[in-house]
Each structure stands twice: as structure tokens, then as C-alpha cells.
Amino acid sequence: MARQGSGAMLASGGLGFPPQNVARVVVWEWLNEHGRWRPYSAAVCHHIENVLKEDARGSVVLGQVDVQLAPYVIDLQSMHQFRQDTGTMRPVRRNFYDPSSAPGKGIVWEWENDNNSWTPYDMDICITIQNAYEKQHPWLDLSSLGFCYLIYFSSMSQMNRQTQRKRRLRRRMDLAYPLTMGSIPKSQSWPVGASTGTPSCSCPQCLLVNSTRAASNAILASQRRKLYPGAVRQSSTFAGAALWPPGTATPAVVAAKGEGLRVAAAGFGPGQGVPSAALPGLNNLNRPGPQRGAGLGARAAVPPGVPALPVKNLNGTGPVHPALAGMTGILMCAAGLPVCLTRAPKPILHPPPVSKSDIKPVPGVNGICRKTKKKQLKKSKTPEDVVRRYIQKVKNPPDEDCTICMERLVTSSGYEGVLSPRGIKPELVGKLGKCGHMYHLLCLLAMYNNGNKDGSLQCPTCKAIYGEKTGTQPPGKMEFHLIPHSLPGYTDSKTIRIVYDIPTGIQGPEHPNPGKKFTARGFPRHCYLPDNEKGRKVLKLLIVAWDRRLIFTIGTSNTTGESDTVVWNEIHHKTEFGSNLTGHGYPDPNYLDNVLAELLAQGVSEATLKD
């Protein structure tokens, strides 16, 4: 199967940018020790993009959005990830993908590792798997991407072709990755292998080592140029260069029990040479710990103009180990990166208290509450009748693939012998009325039987919807009203608050495990829209989506991993009232347009409001 293009690729040393006026999904990735580019989560990418808008040469503290990434900082100037507790540096890059691909929809594919936890696939693999899944392929061979694995969608498993070992895989919904449009200013690109003056090896391991060396030395030299203008000699390499001028102080560690680490100055007198072991050049950074720390243990007063940045313990318990704190403090202060690791700010989820008298109906919207009950299955239409309703028979089909079964249209359907419907022969081919895409009738029947069986069809190629699409949302209540507070970015408007409440219950025949209990965590859920013309339009369409049972579904939670629980269903909501730390809040100037597009993908458009 053909692999979809992964978008513009960029080198590890600088920020890339998409073509002018072309929307692209942004995915930030880091290079692991095996030479694979691993994606950060969508929430982390939103955080990085927000920082990038403010300062394209600044730094990003990843712990502010994901507590598991508390030790990591990204330096946007050098395009490297820095781990503060070990000093490890890795290249990062900013990659672009099509908005209709998996990251643009918030779809993540993961495989189960040996620890019984879930690991996401590389982004190009994730996109390829999603493409095959959307086209209803029964299986996918990853050998074209360099992996000896087969993906089986029916059993949701991955098999190693050599060892025959199988692992589970899963598809889950997450936050969509950020969208960007137009050009973004490029950051400086650090030359790989510039510190040696010799051509570097092109293998992934050497690329990782050499780019880390070049970036560390460039950061060190840059910081010293800021502190001591005119003192650093112009040189094509940094290794062995005297980065500190004669007569100035070299960094030393000043640590007090129970306090953070301070990087101060050792008292070298005027005219004294700086010990070579104390030089923070390339060779010194790569030496073993005892050699690297030689000459840096003296206490001294902090002279004016020398930065003194505290390094607080990462987990907030006892003092930092002296060797660890020393290495972290020296590297972080020299690189000019933020090293005060305080507790990450908490999101502002709810507005200030509102009295009942201040809660008003939303102008132009009827009522303040909608309820849904158990789905009543329609028995008037058979699956065969539904398929015939939306297709036109093709007498002489072209010699092309049916993208559901991957057999040629001029031959019988791949589902021959699997299904035995009345009146539909395996060689019959039909064309969908609106979009004109052609499939075996038997394949369309199999696709319909595998879905919600609600009397609607969705083209697997272009996603055009035929009929009225409904979902599998459990019974519940949706409330909506105005509150007299403003959202960030909409200071001139009041706020529409939506409250969803779904109780626990028993799964119906349309759910993954009929007859089994499902849980409903985190309800009632509060969501927010600005009270303006577009915000009210979104609310009206969300009410339609609620009535069609499209807002929630029953599946596996992407935050807790719990199965058989109520989860969001590909229509994103804003659940942070006064912040946007996780990407679920405001300001977000593109949110209303994005959610309108997501509603349209579910068949909920402005045309439904006129009916």
C-alpha cells in the first residue's frame, strides 16, 4: 500500500516552516539513540508552539504541561532537548503533516510493550496505519517502512514476521496536534561536527553525539559572549579555545545545605591563568565527572553581573545529590537555560462562583437542557436496503482496486463466502451518488454491518456522509447557559457554559461489550464557548450532535487506559476556563473554526440548522 507523504522534513538544527498560506499540522519530535524520530504528545506540542510564538530563540520547560517530563527543557535556539538531572542532550525537530492525517485528527496508534503499557508508533507509521484503517483494509504490511511487522485490524494486533510473536495494538483519540499556516522565523542552525574540523560519520549514533557536542559548545560560547563582550576570540572551533578572558572568574559551585544550587565565581586574582580543567569547552564537558569537577569546588562571593540561578530538587523532597546538582548547575547556567524548577502551574478549570440569578439563557438558542435516552434501533430498513438506497449499479466497472477489500472491481468481492446476503452478488459494483466512488456492493454491506447500523453510510475514501449519521453515546443530559465572565482572548464577550452529565450504565447492542457495565468518569464535565455569533453557532451544532449521540462514545480512556468507559468522540471541547496549559483552554483563535470542521466531518453542518 502506498505511504502518504509525511510533509516537509527538516534538519535537526533549525526550525522549519511550511509553504506560505498552506495549513499544516505541527509535530515536534526528538531523536532517540536508535536514530528514530519520536513524537512528543499533542499537548506538549501545543505548549512548545505557544512558547515559540513568544520567543523563537527561547527555551521550553516541558514539565509545565507533563509532569513526567519535568527534567526536560528544549532550547529553541539550538533545537536540542536537555535533561536537567543527567545533562543528556538530544536533537529535536519541528515536522509538518497534512491536516487530514492522523495527528490532525488527534488519532494515536499504540502497541503494547513488555511492561503492559502502551507505546505510540513513530508518526509516519501512525499515519500509514490510520490510512489503511480508514480504507477498511483487513491488514497492513510495514516492510515498506523498514519494519518486519504485519498489522491485523480485525484482531487489533501486530505480528513480527520473523518470530511470529504477536502484540496488541490500539487506536485512541487524543488532542489534535497544533495547526500552523504561513512561514515561521527560522532559528540559528548549529553545524553538526563543527567542533572537530573533520567530516563526521552519518550513522544515527554519530549524528546524535556530534550534534550534541556542537550544540553544547555553541551554547557555552554564546553565553560567554553575552557576559563578556569582546572577550571571546573568533574561531571556527570551540574545542580547546579560551572562552573566559584572563583575569575573570571561572564558574564555581556554591551549595548550602537545604538550599538550591548557586553558580558563582571562583576567586582567581588578576593576571592568574584559569586552570585548564575548569574550562567549560567541549573536551571538558565530555570528561568523566571527577575530572570535569576539578577546580570548581571553591566557595566565593558572587560578583555583580554573574548569573546566580537556583537549581531546586526535581521531586521536591531532599537535597539534590552534590555531583548531580553540580553538573546540572554548571551546564544550565552556562547554557543560559531556566533552571528554577518550581511546581508547574495548575490549569484554571472553572470560573469564579456564579449565583443562580446571574445565569441566563443563551440568546437565539431554544431551551437550556437536552436529554438523550436509550437508542431505539430502526428495524424498518435492512442493511441491503440501506446500501441500495445510496448507490447506483455499475455495469462495466473500471479495472481499479476496491479500496475496502483491495480486490479489483472487475473481480468478485473479497468478502465472497464471508457474507451471504440476499439479492447481492459478490461481483456487483456500485457507485455512491454524491461523490462517485465505486466499491463492491458486498464490501459496502460488510462495512455497514461493522458500523452503527443507523441507516447512514460514509464513503471510506472521501468521508462523504449519506443519510443522517448517529453515534453510540449513552443516555445523559446536556445543559447550556450564559455566565457573566469572559474567556481569555474574548474579553468583550460573556461565556457560554455547557455541562454534560452521563451516569454509569449497561452497554447496549451498539456498544463494544453489550450487557457489560460501563463507567462514566469525570462527570459532570464543564465546557466553555465565547458568547459571540460564531460561539452560538457552535453551540447550536453541538446540540444537534448531542441529539444524534455523537459527542461521546464508549471505549478506552486515553488518560487512564480504562476500558468500557465514556470517552470523547472526535469533537474537541474546551474544558479549561481561565488557562490553556494543556491545549484544552483559551486563548485559542483557531478553536471555533476547528470544531466547526470536526462537526462537519460528523455530518453536522449549518444546513442542519435550516432544516
Side-chain angles (χ1 to χ4, degrees):
M1 117 140 223
R3 174 189 166 196
Q4 178 175 326
S6 58
M9 306 293 288
L10 31 137
S12 61
L15 298 173
F17 54 95
Q20 189 72 26
N21 298 327
V22 176
R24 288 289 182 267
V25 173
V26 179
V27 179
W28 285 80
E29 300 167 318
W30 57 276
L31 186 67
N32 69 10
E33 62 274 16
H34 305 296
R36 300 291 306 175
W37 288 100
R38 303 289 295 136
Y40 292 99
S41 70
V44 171
C45 290
H46 277 279
H47 179 55
I48 298 173
E49 286 294 297
N50 289 336
V51 175
L52 176 64
K53 293 175 185 176
E54 300 295 329
D55 183 7
R57 300 173 70 85
S59 54
V60 186
V61 182
L62 301 186
Q64 289 182 347
V65 68
D66 188 343
V67 294
Q68 294 182 339
L69 301 180
Y72 297 95
V73 172
I74 290 178
D75 179 36
L76 296 175
Q77 184 175 0
S78 65
M79 290 294 283
H80 276 74
Q81 169 192 280
F82 180 89
R83 178 162 180 161
Q84 298 175 96
D85 54 352
T86 64
T88 303
M89 298 180 72
R90 297 183 184 275
V92 299
R93 71 179 182 182
R94 185 170 183 256
N95 209 353
F96 301 103
Y97 297 91
D98 191 280
S100 64
S101 62
K105 299 176 181 177
I107 297 172
V108 180
W109 284 89
E110 299 172 320
W111 54 275
E112 189 177 39
N113 58 35
D114 293 333
N115 297 323
N116 296 322
S117 58
W118 295 92
T119 302
Y121 286 93
D122 296 351
M123 192 54 68
D124 55 346
I125 299 176
C126 176
I127 290 174
T128 303
I129 295 175
Q130 178 62 21
N131 288 343
Y133 178 83
E134 291 178 349
K135 294 178 179 179
Q136 302 286 324
H137 293 182
W139 54 271
L140 172 67
D141 188 350
L142 295 180
S143 58
S144 62
L145 298 179
F147 296 90
C148 57
Y149 296 110
L150 288 173
I151 302 295
Y152 294 101
F153 295 110
S154 58
S155 60
M156 290 296 282
S157 62
Q158 165 193 286
M159 186 185 76
N160 188 312
R161 300 181 68 174
Q162 296 179 348
T163 64
Q164 302 300 306
R165 181 180 180 180
K166 287 189 176 182
R167 296 179 184 270
R168 290 194 300 164
L169 75 151
R170 71 177 183 182
R171 175 184 181 267
R172 66 175 179 85
M173 296 305 303
D174 199 349
L175 178 68
Y177 279 82
L179 278 172
T180 188
M181 193 167 186
S183 60
I184 302 295
K186 293 185 71 177
S187 169
Q188 183 174 358
S189 177
W190 301 114
V192 176
S195 62
T196 62
T198 59
S200 59
C201 175
S202 60
C203 72
Q205 288 78 10
C206 290
L207 172 65
L208 182 63
V209 171
N210 288 330
S211 60
T212 302
R213 286 178 179 173
S216 8
N217 283 284
I219 294 172
L220 292 170
S222 172
Q223 183 64 18
R224 279 147 185 71
R225 280 196 294 270
K226 294 177 184 177
L227 296 177
Y228 301 93
V232 182
R233 300 174 184 175
Q234 298 295 325
S235 174
S236 59
T237 64
F238 297 112
L243 299 180
W244 289 87
T248 59
T250 189
V253 177
V254 179
K257 187 175 181 180
E259 297 181 358
L261 179 77
R262 289 170 64 85
V263 179
F268 290 103
Q272 287 183 303
V274 181
S276 60
L279 286 174
L282 169 65
N283 295 332
N284 191 45
L285 281 175
N286 289 324
R287 288 176 184 169
Q291 296 180 19
R292 189 168 55 240
L296 297 180
R299 289 174 177 265
V302 181
V306 176
L309 306 176
V311 179
K312 295 184 180 179
N313 196 355
L314 298 177
N315 56 20
T317 54
V320 181
H321 188 278
L324 181 60
M327 177 176 62
T328 303
I330 293 168
L331 288 171
M332 293 300 292
C333 183
L337 298 176
V339 292
C340 183
L341 300 180
T342 56
R343 185 182 299 274
K346 293 183 178 180
I348 303 173
L349 299 178
H350 303 291
V354 180
S355 64
K356 288 186 177 180
S357 61
D358 289 331
I359 297 176
K360 305 294 183 183
V362 181
V365 179
N366 296 327
I368 58 171
C369 179
R370 301 298 281 258
K371 294 182 179 180
T372 57
K373 299 180 179 180
K374 289 186 177 181
K375 180 178 180 181
Q376 301 296 322
L377 295 179
K378 299 178 181 179
K379 298 181 180 180
S380 57
K381 296 288 185 180
T382 66
E384 293 83 357
D385 292 335
V386 172
V387 171
R388 289 193 184 99
R389 179 180 179 182
Y390 300 118
I391 61 97
Q392 303 167 0
K393 290 185 179 181
V394 178
K395 293 183 179 180
N396 299 306
D399 189 16
E400 298 175 355
D401 283 342
C402 169
T403 55
I404 297 178
C405 69
M406 297 309 295
E407 299 291 343
R408 309 297 284 182
L409 291 172
V410 294
T411 63
S412 296
S413 166
Y415 286 92
E416 182 181 13
V418 178
L419 297 176
S420 301
R422 55 183 180 83
I424 296 183
K425 298 179 180 180
E427 65 271 12
L428 289 179
V429 173
K431 179 173 70 173
L432 289 171
K434 287 191 293 186
C435 63
H437 290 113
M438 288 182 280
Y439 308 94
H440 293 111
L441 267 64
L442 198 58
C443 293
L444 287 172
L445 183 64
M447 184 183 72
Y448 179 81
N449 285 332
N450 195 43
N452 198 25
K453 300 178 185 176
D454 58 358
S456 71
L457 272 182
Q458 186 168 15
C459 175
T461 300
C462 67
K463 306 306 175 188
I465 296 175
Y466 296 80
E468 183 179 293
K469 180 181 178 181
T470 61
T472 60
Q473 177 180 287
K477 180 172 67 172
M478 174 189 185
E479 296 180 350
F480 37 90
H481 49 251
L482 274 188
I483 57 175
H485 297 291
S486 298
L487 295 166
Y490 297 94
T491 53
D492 297 331
S493 304
K494 294 181 180 180
T495 297
I496 300 170
R497 178 167 62 186
I498 305 171
V499 182
Y500 296 111
D501 196 7
I502 295 179
T504 58
I506 304 299
Q507 297 181 52
E510 73 274 26
H511 293 135
N513 296 295
K516 185 177 180 181
K517 182 179 179 180
F518 68 85
T519 58
R521 311 291 185 190
F523 287 94
R525 299 187 185 183
H526 292 225
C527 309
Y528 304 95
L529 293 168
D531 180 35
N532 55 27
E533 183 180 356
K534 188 175 285 187
R536 289 191 286 271
K537 181 196 298 183
V538 170
L539 173 62
K540 293 176 183 178
L541 294 175
L542 287 175
I543 293 172
V544 174
W546 172 266
D547 291 340
R548 295 182 182 179
R549 307 174 74 219
L550 294 169
I551 301 291
F552 296 96
T553 187
I554 294 177
T556 301
S557 169
N558 61 0
T559 54
T560 65
E562 181 183 12
S563 58
D564 298 304
T565 190
V566 180
V567 296
W568 294 104
N569 185 38
E570 302 187 21
I571 300 175
H572 287 90
H573 286 64
K574 292 295 188 181
T575 55
E576 286 183 57
F577 173 80
S579 59
N580 194 18
L581 297 180
T582 63
H584 298 296
Y586 296 91
D588 185 348
N590 299 319
Y591 168 67
L592 296 178
D593 290 328
N594 291 341
V595 74
L596 285 172
E598 291 173 341
L599 286 161
L600 182 60
Q602 299 286 349
V604 182
S605 65
E606 293 183 56
T608 61
L609 302 179
K610 301 175 183 178
D611 295 341

